[in-house]
Amino acid sequence: MTVRRLSAGLVAAALFTPGLAACNADGTPTAGSSASPSVSASGTPAASGSAAPAAGDAKQALLASTREISNGNFRFTMSGVGSTAEGRVHEPTQSAEIRATIGKPTDDLFMKLDVVHYKPDSWVKLELGGTTAKSVPGVQKLNLGKYQHLDQTRIKGNRNLGFDFEKVDPAGSEVLTQGITEVRQTGEGAYAGTIDVSKAAEAGSLDPTIITALGAQAKSVPFTAKLDPQGRLSEMVLQIPAVAQAKAQEIRITYSDYGTATAAQKPTADQVVEAPAELYNLFN
């Protein structure tokens, strides 16, 4: 198994981005509701049923649903192909936290991460396991059970270790919704359609190598989305089709606790050591 970043995320465009493990994953695209006619995102009304809103209205609802994310006060989760992440962003204190698991303990390589950002500092606690973990350079210096303090001059501009409070969304959902090519409303606060992910390479939930491998299929990736009663995005699910040796996969993103998330907690001094060169080398 090869560890690589999930583009700007499963662990974040704005946070920390070790990515999907290069393992096959089970999953098949979910079919959209046949009861809701598909319409183009250009604004053409549904072909039948006057109750169905114009696609332009549906897309605008989805675009508007991501605005609250930019305020930087929420919790989130992301999952896909054996990787999961959960965390919080709290822009008022310029802090963020994410806990991620990549792979399973039975895999050749298993990784758990606890990353804390509290401007101007960042810390990473790392656990590496699996039969090939011993072959990771400097693994003895990485599996310390403590938070490793990061030198900001060494991670500036590094999408794997850095955090940009100007781009607080770990999944890049605004970028994804801007790439919508077809959309329909399937219920109260529920939508389905397709996204041209070739225009969403900066989205934290997608690995650019996957987008490239998809080729023409990247222009029409199925998705579903749900909004909360206030019209804010609560869930987006992308159904990535099978390509080459990789099976179809599902990427699921959720948001919650808008405006009520709390600040990340800094690790105490007795829990902290300075990060060794091996840590920077692992994620560069």
Side-chain angles (χ1 to χ4, degrees):
M1 181 177 78
T2 303
V3 174
R4 67 185 181 208
R5 70 187 182 90
L6 183 71
S7 162
L10 235 204
V11 191
L15 287 174
F16 183 82
T17 58
L20 287 176
C23 312
N24 286 342
D26 293 328
T28 56
T30 56
S33 170
S34 60
S36 300
S38 176
V39 289
S40 73
S42 63
T44 304
S48 62
S50 59
D57 294 339
K59 183 172 182 178
Q60 285 305 311
L62 288 172
L63 288 171
S65 76
T66 66
R67 291 174 186 161
E68 184 67 22
I69 297 173
S70 65
N71 289 331
N73 191 333
F74 57 87
R75 289 182 177 271
F76 67 92
T77 69
M78 291 187 281
S79 63
V81 193
S83 297
T84 61
E86 62 178 2
R88 54 182 157 173
V89 177
H90 194 252
E91 199 279 337
T93 58
Q94 298 278 277
S95 68
E97 181 179 16
I98 185 165
R99 297 174 185 268
T101 300
I102 301 171
K104 305 184 298 293
T106 55
D107 288 340
D108 292 341
L109 186 62
F110 168 72
M111 181 183 293
K112 291 183 70 175
L113 298 159
D114 185 358
V115 188
V116 178
H117 298 281
Y118 210 117
K119 198 172 183 178
D121 293 298
S122 301
W123 302 264
V124 178
K125 184 161 68 173
L126 175 67
E127 177 187 340
L128 290 171
T131 57
T132 65
K134 293 180 180 179
S135 65
V136 175
V139 66
Q140 299 86 353
K141 297 181 180 180
L142 299 173
N143 278 349
L144 299 176
K146 290 193 174 186
Y147 287 90
Q148 302 181 51
H149 180 254
L150 298 170
D151 180 347
Q152 297 297 305
T153 64
R154 300 183 68 171
I155 65 172
K156 187 175 182 179
N158 185 319
R159 295 177 68 191
N160 289 329
L161 296 174
F163 188 95
D164 183 355
F165 278 98
E166 297 298 317
K167 299 177 182 179
V168 296
D169 183 6
S173 293
E174 180 181 4
V175 176
L176 289 171
T177 55
Q178 289 173 348
I180 289 173
T181 54
E182 186 179 48
V183 62
R184 61 189 180 274
Q185 186 168 357
T186 58
E188 185 68 30
Y191 300 85
T194 58
I195 294 176
D196 181 353
V197 298
S198 68
K199 298 178 180 179
E202 293 302 309
S205 47
L206 294 171
D207 188 334
T209 60
I210 293 177
I211 296 174
T212 300
L214 286 172
Q217 293 184 91
K219 295 186 177 297
S220 57
V221 170
F223 82 95
T224 59
K226 295 178 181 178
L227 311 189
D228 68 12
Q230 288 73 44
R232 303 169 300 195
L233 185 66
S234 60
E235 179 186 84
M236 178 174 283
V237 180
L238 300 177
Q239 299 290 349
I240 307 298
V243 60
Q245 300 301 312
K247 295 180 180 179
Q249 58 182 275
E250 178 180 276
I251 296 175
R252 183 179 300 270
I253 307 155
T254 71
Y255 298 93
S256 63
D257 293 354
Y258 284 108
T260 61
T262 55
Q265 298 298 307
K266 298 179 183 179
T268 58
D270 63 326
Q271 295 178 302
V272 175
V273 297
E274 286 299 317
E278 287 81 359
L279 181 73
Y280 301 104
N281 292 339
L282 181 64
F283 293 104
N284 282 336

